Amino acid sequence: LKFQTIADGSVTSAKGFFAGSVHAGFKKANKDLVILYSELKTSAAAAFTQNRAAAPPVSISREIVGYGDVRAVLINSGNANACTGLDGFENARMSQAAAAKALSLKPDQVALASTGVIGVPLPMEVMMQGIPKAVAALGPENGHDAALGIMTTDLSKKEFAVRLTIDGKKVTIGGMAKGSGMINPNMATMLSFVTTDAAVDPGYLKEIVAEVVESTYNMITVDGDTSTNDTIMVLANGMAGNKTINEAHTDKELFIEALYAVNEMLAISIVKDGEGATKLIEVEASDFQNKSDARIAAKAVLNSNLVKTAIFGEDGNWGRIICSLGYSGASFDLNDVRLELANGQGQSVKVFENGLPTDYDEAVVTELLKDTHIIIRVNAGNGYASARGWGCDLSYDYVKINGSYRN
Amino acid sequence: LKFQTIADGSVTSAKGFFAGSVHAGFKKANKDLVILYSELKTSAAAAFTQNRAAAPPVSISREIVGYGDVRAVLINSGNANACTGLDGFENARMSQAAAAKALSLKPDQVALASTGVIGVPLPMEVMMQGIPKAVAALGPENGHDAALGIMTTDLSKKEFAVRLTIDGKKVTIGGMAKGSGMINPNMATMLSFVTTDAAVDPGYLKEIVAEVVESTYNMITVDGDTSTNDTIMVLANGMAGNKTINEAHTDKELFIEALYAVNEMLAISIVKDGEGATKLIEVEASDFQNKSDARIAAKAVLNSNLVKTAIFGEDGNWGRIICSLGYSGASFDLNDVRLELANGQGQSVKVFENGLPTDYDEAVVTELLKDTHIIIRVNAGNGYASARGWGCDLSYDYVKINGSYRN
């Protein structure tokens, strides 16, 4: 293999990255304020929610990443600082300034991310008292604590890191993410932070991160709802000592592959822990006319409540898959479509071909669907473009969690 | 009032329309084969699913309506004749020919619609034996039987009719519809048939039906999945004796209003009976820049699983509504948005304004949400365009019905 998974890897596995994670009081218990810090100047690239009601921390971070040198990220869980009006912006600016001061940085070097309850003012006393504690807690071993600190009601922390060699130098890429959690009133926010000690040209990093995001975070879905706070950020501080990775670097593909792997792993861990999820659903869309068609086809299948409930019920209801392909907007001729259901154990059954269901054995399909990893292979027989996407089933628990019974 | 609801109205309330409805055997029990017949030549207008995997009856009816004179519609429930390949087309053509022969019509005068199980060949013996029985059952009083015959697992039949006066002549518009039902493997198909004895110019009818469909059937959603078999058809046979309604007719607005009312009522009855629905959700989107923005905003709110589950749980989680508006693609400034929650009893609470939640009483919202008709009023403060849309909540029963437990 070209790169190795680091056992116990985290967002501080890469050289020169520190994390501090404390319980400040945004949540009743558990860590809820995190500072991620880089010793050296970084190249930064990010992707943010396209939601028009984007929260103040998103607007501010978007600006900061544009400027260039992100040295720290201040992240709180338990309050999203969304739909909080002008005060929300002022509170975000004040938090940023306080963190910058405590870290001896300029405000424009500190990015922000918030997740949790919306429409409730950010409790500034909690924030102001928490910041120095989080700074005091900064350390190179605290990645796992950071992954815990950004959780809302995620059932498990999400972190992953790999090691590779570039220019004879040991390069590390590590990251943490959080997914769909529930606070009342809530929304499911996706946050992901990836750090690397590789030296990467800032413009080139933006380019490759944009591509990686398209194939990973933008190909996962829990319920099709895009939050006001979604943030993905990649920071590279160059401490590995490799020659700066750019378009001309001979090992650029290896780096991209490793960066892709870390982000794919984090993205998949988010849907695996989707609200009420009992099964990971993977769609492999192949032989479409173009990448965009393959992607919208995969997303339509993954977003279909009818497909999601069928998988939950372990019902091989392929008609719903064909139906969702049909309204996806992707171009294909039904007579060319081949559909295969498979699982994580390597079992697979072709259920549809040449415009007709095949003569498959229903019992085999039912057996196959008992696995917790279901793979739907859609071949459009219409070109050479492919895409993969990931989602989860729709269960009673999704309804229960999101129905927010207060009694 | 300009027009009156007909108590006990149906698809055969208008003069010269007959229905025959029998149990042919597509379903184990209950009526499942319907012929709708007009004594005289009709003006016909229709709208069909945009699904690329559209079923043969849809393709054939689309063609027929294009030709002009639809004299009959053959409708079966229990088998959708979708994903059935070339044989599916041949079976549809054969059914059409048999119905035409039994009715002494040309095949091109008989439209088709099917709903039910997909990927299973249409049982032609059942069809061929059923057709003469349905023809024998034709009568002007059988509208209610027809509404029963097109149901799959709809919990109640859906029909509505109104009477109005045009050119001193009594004009009737009546219709029937079916919504999201469940057969295993299934898909939820929407069928709607509206008849009128008004004389309407065929080109003008197509024009106004297209507009009415945009504001009614295209503004309802149960789960965002568009079926392979959706069909809406309006037939006008002129037996009322009015002067032909066209662009120049002085009473055209009255006719459109009445046509709209019948279709809106049928459309709403479909979402009310949505799978697992416990509440009707209505969205009034107003003061958007243009109609298209108002519509996509309303649809985004109605399609959000997070909004749907919150309403099911009677949780006034307005943040999810703002969030879905944010990703809808509609243009607005969050600071201009006003959001009001209301119910069918006339209670309402303003929860968001000027970019901030208002100082509302949570207990009042909770109380208000106990009603079975919830109205979400979104004002974008950004223009003069408005739209209304209807959906339903997402309940445990939706998951149960669609999980299709076989044990």
Side-chain angles (χ1 to χ4, degrees), chain B residues 178-246:
Chain B
K178 64 135 326 222
S180 37
M182 210 281 297
I183 296 172
N184 186 6
N186 89 305
M187 56 195 47
T189 286
M190 175 177 78
L191 298 179
S192 178
F193 303 94
V194 171
T195 59
T196 178
D197 42 27
V200 193
D201 174 77
Y204 190 63
L205 186 67
K206 284 187 168 57
E207 205 174 293
I208 62 181
V209 166
E211 224 168 282
V212 166
V213 167
E214 277 304 312
S215 304
T216 55
Y217 305 102
N218 282 350
M219 289 306 294
I220 60 170
T221 174
V222 171
D223 49 21
D225 279 46
T226 306
S227 138
T228 50
N229 290 53
D230 291 341
T231 299
I232 295 145
M233 207 175 285
V234 180
L235 303 177
N237 67 8
M239 287 181 76
N242 60 297
K243 276 177 273 178
T244 300
I245 296 168
N246 58 22

Side-chain angles (χ1 to χ4, degrees), chain A residues 72-389:
Chain A
V73 193
L74 176 69
I75 312 152
N76 74 284
S77 59
N79 186 307
N81 193 14
C83 293
T84 44
L86 197 59
D87 285 352
F89 267 94
E90 281 168 13
N91 286 337
R93 286 281 179 212
M94 220 182 298
S95 313
Q96 181 191 34
K101 196 173 171 198
L103 293 163
S104 301
L105 298 172
K106 287 180 241 164
D108 284 351
Q109 292 176 306
V110 181
L112 301 174
S114 296
T115 176
V117 56
I118 80 145
V120 173
L122 199 63
M124 286 310 289
E125 204 172 326
V126 169
M127 180 64 88
M128 289 314 201
Q129 289 175 1
I131 286 171
K133 289 185 205 159
V135 171
L138 278 174
E141 318 270 277
N142 297 343
H144 303 312
D145 278 353
L148 287 170
I150 64 172
M151 287 164 60
T152 48
T153 52
D154 300 62
L155 298 177
S156 61
K157 65 184 164 65
K158 298 159 183 70
E159 35 183 7
F160 190 68
V162 299
R163 189 151 288 156
L164 59 160
T165 304
I166 292 182
D167 301 331
K169 307 289 181 179
K170 203 170 68 177
V171 164
T172 301
I173 308 176
M176 63 178 178
K178 66 139 319 228
S180 39
M182 209 283 298
I183 297 172
N184 184 11
N186 90 305
M187 56 196 45
T189 287
M190 174 177 79
L191 299 180
S192 179
F193 302 94
V194 171
T195 59
T196 178
D197 43 25
V200 192
D201 174 75
Y204 190 64
L205 185 66
K206 284 184 169 58
E207 205 174 292
I208 62 182
V209 166
E211 224 167 281
V212 166
V213 166
E214 277 305 313
S215 304
T216 55
Y217 305 102
N218 282 350
M219 289 307 294
I220 61 170
T221 174
V222 172
D223 50 20
D225 279 47
T226 306
S227 139
T228 51
N229 290 53
D230 291 341
T231 300
I232 294 144
M233 208 176 285
V234 179
L235 302 177
N237 67 8
M239 287 182 76
N242 60 297
K243 276 176 272 176
T244 299
I245 296 168
N246 57 22
E247 183 64 52
H249 197 290
T250 47
D251 280 342
K252 64 175 182 178
E253 290 301 339
L254 170 61
F255 180 73
I256 292 173
E257 216 174 300
L259 186 67
Y260 183 89
V262 170
N263 284 287
E264 177 179 297
M265 200 55 108
L266 291 173
I268 292 176
S269 70
I270 289 171
V271 283
K272 265 193 180 166
D273 193 15
E275 289 173 333
T278 74
K279 290 173 196 289
L280 170 69
I281 305 176
E282 181 169 356
V283 175
E284 296 176 10
S286 49
D287 294 3
F288 280 80
Q289 267 179 7
N290 53 60
K291 193 98 180 163
S292 160
D293 270 14
R295 280 178 174 152
I296 61 174
K299 288 293 277 281
V301 174
L302 291 164
N303 273 324
S304 163
N305 279 352
L306 290 171
V307 172
K308 289 155 71 83
T309 46
I311 300 287
F312 171 62
E314 300 180 350
D315 179 7
N317 199 333
W318 56 265
R320 295 177 177 179
I321 299 170
I322 296 286
C323 180
S324 60
L325 289 172
Y327 65 69
S328 69
S331 174
F332 64 87
D333 184 326
L334 190 58
N335 294 311
D336 298 331
V337 171
R338 196 173 68 232
L339 186 62
E340 205 174 281
L341 298 177
N343 68 13
Q345 311 304 315
Q347 299 172 291
S348 76
V349 176
K350 186 167 65 183
V351 294
F352 190 85
E353 195 171 35
N354 301 326
L356 285 169
T358 63
D359 191 23
Y360 66 91
D361 183 348
E362 189 71 43
V364 176
V365 170
T366 304
E367 185 57 34
L368 174 160
L369 291 175
K370 287 182 180 158
D371 195 34
T372 56
H373 180 188
I374 306 302
I375 303 157
I376 297 171
R377 296 200 182 101
V378 178
N379 187 304
N382 194 27
Y384 304 95
S386 62
R388 281 201 301 160

Side-chain angles (χ1 to χ4, degrees), chain B residues 210-396:
Chain B
E211 224 168 282
V212 166
V213 167
E214 277 304 312
S215 304
T216 55
Y217 305 102
N218 282 350
M219 289 306 294
I220 60 170
T221 174
V222 171
D223 49 21
D225 279 46
T226 306
S227 138
T228 50
N229 290 53
D230 291 341
T231 299
I232 295 145
M233 207 175 285
V234 180
L235 303 177
N237 67 8
M239 287 181 76
N242 60 297
K243 276 177 273 178
T244 300
I245 296 168
N246 58 22
E247 183 64 53
H249 198 287
T250 48
D251 279 343
K252 65 175 181 178
E253 290 302 338
L254 170 61
F255 179 74
I256 292 174
E257 216 174 299
L259 186 67
Y260 182 89
V262 170
N263 285 286
E264 177 180 298
M265 200 56 106
L266 291 173
I268 292 177
S269 69
I270 289 171
V271 283
K272 265 192 178 165
D273 193 14
E275 288 173 332
T278 74
K279 290 173 196 289
L280 171 68
I281 305 177
E282 182 170 354
V283 175
E284 296 177 10
S286 49
D287 294 5
F288 279 79
Q289 267 178 6
N290 53 60
K291 194 97 182 166
S292 159
D293 269 15
R295 281 180 175 151
I296 61 175
K299 288 293 276 284
V301 174
L302 291 164
N303 273 324
S304 163
N305 279 353
L306 290 171
V307 172
K308 289 156 71 83
T309 46
I311 300 287
F312 172 62
E314 301 180 350
D315 180 7
N317 200 333
W318 56 265
R320 294 177 178 180
I321 300 170
I322 295 288
C323 178
S324 60
L325 289 173
Y327 65 70
S328 69
S331 172
F332 64 87
D333 183 326
L334 190 58
N335 294 311
D336 299 330
V337 171
R338 196 174 68 231
L339 187 61
E340 206 173 280
L341 299 177
N343 69 14
Q345 311 304 314
Q347 299 172 291
S348 77
V349 177
K350 186 168 64 184
V351 295
F352 190 86
E353 195 172 35
N354 301 327
L356 285 169
T358 63
D359 191 23
Y360 66 90
D361 183 347
E362 188 73 42
V364 176
V365 170
T366 304
E367 184 57 34
L368 174 160
L369 291 175
K370 288 183 179 157
D371 195 34
T372 55
H373 180 188
I374 306 302
I375 303 156
I376 297 172
R377 296 201 181 99
V378 178
N379 187 304
N382 193 28
Y384 304 96
S386 63
R388 282 201 300 161
W390 302 268
C392 58
D393 56 345
L394 173 56
S395 71
Y396 294 116

